[in-house]
Amino acid sequence: MYNFDNQVVMITGAGRGLGRAYTLALAARGATVIAVDNGCDVMGEGTDSDYITELKEVARDMGAEVIGHCIDVTDQAAMAQLVDATYAEFGRIDGLICNAGIMLPQDGVQQGLELYQQQMNVNHYATVALVQQVLPKMQQVDQGRIVVTGGLSPIYGEARLMGYAASAAANMGFVRCLSRELADSNVKVNVIVPANFSRMSEQLEWPYDYQSMTPDLVAPAVLWLLASNAPNGLTVSVGGGYYSLIEPMESEGATLDLNDQRPQAVARLLGNLSHAPKTQVFQSFESRMRHILKLLMLKRS
């Protein structure tokens, strides 16, 4: 179940950090890994193929196979060519890990639209484009596993990570919707929300020691999400050996009479609800709306 012999897994952002940990963990378990990384610096600038070269050498010393490519994930034409070449050589892609990303801390919302666009291009649009290239082929054989990177910042907020949080939130919403499309198939898609020490998170200069939260401690959850018993549509948070599931929750709601739809009444109602337990979990947008409409109908009957 957790042996990946004869399987082909493509990983973006594979040269360092989380991607490197995923690559080596999968290669050690028999997978042929197609590793993609352009070797850019922490600001997303430049290219350096040395990271991919070193990764292949480490894998070779392990007796494993890693096929490396120094490609910018935002180059959709190059990525499409790589997907086609992988299918031409191996006839399959069993797993796809969309891990490539950049995090550019910001001093405030006014610090340039280009920072938002850059992070959205790398973190979200490149992810969607690659999924669009691989997914139809997985659907043809009704077999595949896709893991997309999300983040804690869209959930809890971080003043310096507005652009990064927006791109991670876009990924998480994308997967939540895509998982509904794939609900009746054997192609599974999930989100990994890693909490780990990296060159990107080091930029935040948090005043506590979390260097023990290493990338290799995120890899076991990713292996599960690529396995034959993988779930579908989960958002899994992991870091330092701590695991949790992230789900959207709402408080128990309440209704106002139609003749009392005044802002002061709304303020009073929502003020009370802010102290209510967050206990409602809905499996889909449709189920949430169905539930609310049922309550309204009962209220008005």
Side-chain angles (χ1 to χ4, degrees):
M1 184 180 297
Y2 299 109
N3 184 295
F4 295 90
D5 285 342
N6 302 316
Q7 294 194 33
V8 177
V9 180
M10 181 174 290
I11 305 177
T12 65
R16 289 160 287 183
L18 290 167
R20 188 178 192 275
Y22 302 158
T23 297
L24 295 178
L26 283 160
R29 288 164 176 78
T32 296
V33 181
I34 311 301
V36 181
D37 196 306
N38 72 341
C40 67
D41 64 22
V42 73
M43 299 302 294
E45 302 296 333
T47 60
D48 188 344
S49 62
D50 287 349
Y51 296 103
I52 282 292
T53 299
E54 190 268 343
L55 179 63
K56 291 192 296 182
E57 292 173 351
V58 171
R60 189 183 309 115
D61 291 343
M62 295 167 46
E65 185 174 13
V66 169
I67 300 171
H69 298 271
C70 183
I71 299 175
D72 185 338
V73 293
T74 65
D75 186 340
Q76 295 180 21
M79 291 302 297
Q81 289 175 1
L82 176 60
V83 170
D84 290 343
T86 301
Y87 273 94
E89 181 172 357
F90 298 101
R92 60 196 297 162
I93 293 179
D94 300 281
L96 172 65
I97 304 177
C98 297
N99 170 71
I102 56 174
M103 185 175 75
L104 306 177
Q106 297 166 251
D107 293 331
V109 70
Q110 300 294 338
Q111 194 185 351
L113 187 60
E114 65 275 7
L115 290 180
Y116 294 91
Q117 293 172 328
Q118 186 178 356
Q119 291 173 97
M120 193 66 75
N121 287 339
V122 176
N123 303 348
H124 179 60
Y125 292 135
T127 291
V128 174
L130 184 54
V131 170
Q132 288 177 331
Q133 291 157 5
V134 174
L135 180 59
K137 295 178 171 61
M138 288 183 170
Q139 290 177 305
Q140 286 176 5
V141 296
D142 194 30
Q143 176 67 41
R145 303 289 183 262
I146 300 172
V147 179
V148 171
T149 302
L152 290 172
S153 52
I155 307 297
Y156 299 106
E158 164 57 55
R160 295 165 291 178
L161 297 182
M162 295 176 188
Y164 180 81
S167 63
N171 280 352
M172 294 160 78
F174 171 66
V175 169
R176 190 169 295 278
C177 294
L178 180 59
S179 69
R180 304 293 184 254
E181 178 182 335
L182 300 174
D184 297 325
S185 77
N186 194 37
V187 180
K188 311 297 184 184
V189 58
N190 295 280
V191 173
I192 189 74
V193 177
N196 69 288
F197 180 79
S198 70
R199 67 192 181 108
M200 293 199 303
S201 58
E202 193 174 22
Q203 300 175 89
L204 299 175
E205 299 180 338
W206 278 323
Y208 48 82
D209 181 13
Y210 68 112
Q211 296 190 34
S212 61
M213 300 178 75
T214 53
D216 60 290
L217 293 174
V218 179
V222 172
L223 295 180
W224 170 53
L225 295 176
L226 292 174
S228 59
N229 65 337
N232 183 51
L234 290 188
T235 299
V236 180
S237 178
V238 55
Y242 178 85
Y243 298 83
S244 64
L245 295 177
I246 297 175
E247 297 181 324
M249 283 193 178
E250 296 186 23
S251 67
E252 290 290 341
T255 58
L256 284 173
D257 290 336
L258 293 181
N259 61 2
D260 193 25
Q261 300 291 315
R262 300 169 299 126
Q264 54 266 48
V266 173
R268 182 172 60 252
L269 179 70
L270 294 182
N272 292 333
L273 289 181
S274 66
H275 303 292
K278 310 298 190 291
T279 57
Q280 294 193 95
V281 179
F282 299 104
Q283 297 305 309
S284 69
F285 172 71
E286 181 184 358
S287 66
R288 193 265 185 197
M289 293 305 297
R290 190 186 309 119
H291 174 76
I292 301 306
L293 289 170
K294 182 179 179 180
L295 286 180
L296 291 173
M297 289 175 65
L298 290 173
K299 174 79 173 179
R300 295 167 187 173
S301 62

